[in-house]
Amino acid sequence: MDANFDPTKSFAEAHERHEHAMQPAHHAEANRWVPISAAILAVFAALVTLLTNQHASQALDAKSDAIIAVSRAADIYNEYEADSIKQHGYEALIAAGVTVDPKRLATLQAVADEQKAKKKPLLVKARAFEEQAKVDEERSNHLLHVREHLEIAVTLLEVAIVLVSISAVAKAPFLPIVAALAAAGGVVMTIVGLR
């Protein structure tokens, strides 16, 4: 046996060589979570993006419905005004005494009464279209508000994906924590948006 042989030193050197040999395997095991995490975050970000686009489309549809309802209400109000003008015109003719013939007076009065009767349902219908326009406008605004929250969620999820990806190369211990916070923020904004 060698006189300079130190069993503790040999054990320490052997342990150090073993640790050095195992380090790449341990590093590879530690980085296995990076692609899995990035993939999960990417799928979730894609789903939230889909929801964002759906809400944008629905908001545009609701806005379009509101515009159509306002246009229909305006058309009906114009018809109401036209019937009012006709009614008042016939009533003015009667009041002016343009004819004394009872038959013609009865015809003028019948036309004036017909115009007056046509107006009432028109007013109700126009107001119903106005109410529908308000409902559609509120729905559009709500959907746009939800979309804003979902856009923030997607942005936070994309930031988390980038940070997770960088953390594999940069070996900075704070990056996975910041990525987890960004991902959690994205999840929270998604939940808030969908409420």
Side-chain angles (χ1 to χ4, degrees), residues 62-74 126-141:
K63 182 65 89 175
S64 178
D65 291 344
I67 291 168
I68 290 169
V70 167
S71 176
R72 287 182 177 162
R127 288 181 180 153
F129 276 119
E130 282 182 333
E131 287 301 315
Q132 184 60 46
K134 287 179 188 176
V135 168
D136 291 335
E137 185 70 28
E138 288 173 6
R139 182 170 179 263
S140 175
N141 290 337

Side-chain angles (χ1 to χ4, degrees), residues 1-7 10:
M1 199 160 172
D2 187 8
N4 292 334
F5 177 72
D6 182 5
S10 294

Side-chain angles (χ1 to χ4, degrees), residues 32-135:
R32 178 183 275 173
W33 68 271
V34 172
I36 294 170
S37 300
I40 291 169
L41 288 170
V43 168
F44 191 65
L47 292 174
V48 176
T49 300
L50 177 66
L51 287 172
T52 303
N53 292 336
Q54 285 177 339
H55 279 77
S57 294
Q58 291 172 353
L60 287 173
D61 288 345
K63 182 65 89 175
S64 178
D65 291 344
I67 291 168
I68 290 169
V70 167
S71 176
R72 287 182 177 162
D75 289 346
I76 293 170
Y77 277 127
N78 288 337
E79 188 177 344
Y80 175 87
E81 287 300 318
D83 288 345
S84 288
I85 290 169
K86 289 177 192 174
Q87 172 197 346
H88 294 302
Y90 287 113
E91 289 172 349
L93 289 173
I94 294 168
V98 291
T99 183
V100 287
D101 181 14
K103 211 175 196 186
R104 284 194 172 161
L105 281 174
T107 302
L108 289 174
Q109 187 61 52
V111 172
D113 292 343
E114 180 184 332
Q115 296 302 318
K116 185 176 182 178
K118 281 175 55 179
K119 289 184 346 181
K120 289 179 185 179
L122 290 175
L123 198 56
V124 170
K125 195 173 180 181
R127 288 181 180 153
F129 276 119
E130 282 182 333
E131 287 301 315
Q132 184 60 46
K134 287 179 188 176
V135 168

Side-chain angles (χ1 to χ4, degrees), residues 2 4-22:
D2 187 8
N4 292 334
F5 177 72
D6 182 5
T8 49
K9 185 177 179 185
S10 294
F11 177 74
E13 287 175 359
H15 181 68
E16 187 177 313
R17 281 191 294 249
H18 174 72
E19 286 295 317
H20 184 67
M22 295 303 290

Side-chain angles (χ1 to χ4, degrees), residues 44 48 149-150 152-153 156-157 180-195:
F44 191 65
V48 176
H149 282 87
L150 294 176
I152 293 169
L156 289 170
L157 291 167
L181 290 173
V187 169
V188 167
M189 289 305 290
T190 300
I191 292 168
V192 168
L194 294 176
R195 284 189 319 158

